[in-house]
Amino acid sequence: MLKIKINPKKNSHVQKILDLSKEKIDDCMQCGKCSAGCPANAGMDVLPHQVIRLLQIGDVESIKNSKSIWNCAACFTCESRCPRNVSVSKLMEAARQTIVRKQGGDMLNPNFVSKLMEDKKMPQQAVVSGFRKYSK
């Protein structure tokens, strides 16, 4: 069995996701209830409990490159099933935010939206949540 030490000093990318989501990934005990109850797990290449593990070991790139963060329905079923009250939905939303914010320097400029919508892979959910969260 391969042992992986969880790095208590999170890298800056993990810390950014934790700051945005306000979640405590160290509380997760990897029971898998979030993944078992997730209605969108069939379309995910990285299951919800695996997202938390990847964050714990500092592998943010695997999360950002997965289709799971875009397939998350943000229904909070994971949070309701979690015995430790960790919300994977909030973590996935934070991961989406970091990708969208990178495009606009931590702010989503309304003039940039038409350019975003030219990318057929850009989910509309990301653009709408961008206006809610990034225009301060």
Side-chain angles (χ1 to χ4, degrees):
M1 176 181 273
L2 177 66
K3 289 186 179 183
I4 297 175
K5 182 173 176 139
I6 296 175
N7 185 1
K9 293 182 180 176
K10 314 255 180 321
N11 67 42
S12 63
H13 298 290
V14 172
Q15 196 57 51
K16 180 97 171 173
I17 290 172
L18 296 180
D19 290 344
L20 290 169
S21 68
K22 307 288 190 258
E23 290 299 306
K24 297 178 182 172
I25 58 173
D26 296 333
D27 289 349
C28 177
M29 59 185 183
Q30 293 291 300
C31 66
K33 288 184 177 184
C34 54
S35 296
C38 178
N41 69 6
M44 293 184 175
D45 50 351
V46 179
L47 294 174
H49 75 281
Q50 294 170 331
V51 167
I52 293 178
R53 178 59 74 196
L54 288 170
L55 285 170
Q56 288 174 337
I57 62 173
D59 188 2
V60 176
E61 287 306 310
S62 292
I63 296 168
K64 288 184 176 182
N65 294 329
S66 76
K67 59 184 177 179
S68 298
I69 61 172
W70 305 111
N71 288 342
C72 174
C75 64
F76 298 103
T77 302
C78 52
E79 185 176 2
S80 68
R81 293 182 57 99
C82 181
R84 301 280 179 99
N85 296 318
V86 178
S87 177
V88 184
S89 294
K90 289 179 184 175
L91 291 165
M92 290 201 194
E93 174 65 18
R96 286 192 295 260
Q97 286 179 28
T98 60
I99 293 170
V100 174
R101 284 184 176 190
K102 190 174 182 181
Q103 302 271 338
D106 283 350
M107 298 285 277
L108 185 62
N109 184 337
N111 299 326
F112 189 63
V113 171
S114 60
K115 191 180 246 185
L116 282 175
M117 295 311 293
E118 289 173 8
D119 180 4
K120 299 300 179 196
K121 293 182 181 179
M122 177 63 72
Q124 290 180 356
Q125 177 184 8
V127 177
V128 172
S129 68
F131 279 115
R132 261 190 301 125
K133 297 174 182 155
Y134 312 136
S135 52
K136 295 181 181 182

